[in-house]
């Protein structure tokens, strides 16, 4: 069974669109400990493939350091499952 998991690394966004409730550019960034907990949770479930979609305000505001640490944790932690990422 495939899984689709949405991860919201930050609610921050610089766009300040009138229709959006999350425009705080300085919103906190998800901790790597939370990513570790996601891995633990998914390991306990049966399934083959996992697609992670990074969403939120503007998910790229989490920064390169966040993704350089989080993506390998997700891939290695859930091996041998096939992992895909989307933004």
């Amino acid at each position: 069974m495939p899984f689709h998991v949405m991860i919201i690394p930050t609610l921050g966004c610089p766009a300040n669109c009138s229709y959006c409730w999350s425009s705080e550019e300085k919103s906190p960034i998800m901790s790597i400990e939370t990513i570790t907990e996601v891995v633990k949770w998914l390991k306990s479930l049966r399934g083959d493939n996992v697609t992670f979609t990074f969403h939120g305000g503007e998910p790229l505001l989490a920064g390169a350091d966040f993704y350089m640490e989080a993506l390998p944790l997700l891939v290695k932690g859930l091996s041998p499952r096939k992992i895909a990422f989307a933004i």
Side-chain angles (χ1 to χ4, degrees):
M1 174 170 74
F3 291 100
H4 188 109
V5 178
M6 185 176 295
I7 294 180
I8 302 173
T10 181
L11 291 174
C13 181
N16 201 19
C17 298
S18 61
Y19 58 83
C20 186
W21 53 269
S22 178
S23 298
E24 296 180 30
E25 201 168 343
K26 301 294 182 189
S27 181
I29 296 170
M30 177 182 284
S31 71
I32 292 300
E33 289 78 21
T34 301
I35 297 294
T36 302
E37 291 300 316
V38 168
V39 170
K40 287 180 190 175
W41 170 65
L42 286 171
K43 284 174 87 168
S44 71
L45 303 175
R46 292 184 180 175
D48 298 322
N49 303 332
V50 183
T51 298
F52 292 98
T53 298
F54 293 92
H55 191 28
E58 169 49 68
L60 296 179
L61 284 179
D65 289 342
F66 172 81
Y67 288 101
M68 288 186 339
E69 193 169 354
L71 300 183
L73 280 174
L74 293 166
V75 171
K76 291 176 187 172
L78 295 170
S79 179
R81 294 177 178 173
K82 180 181 176 191
I83 307 298
F85 297 109
I87 291 184

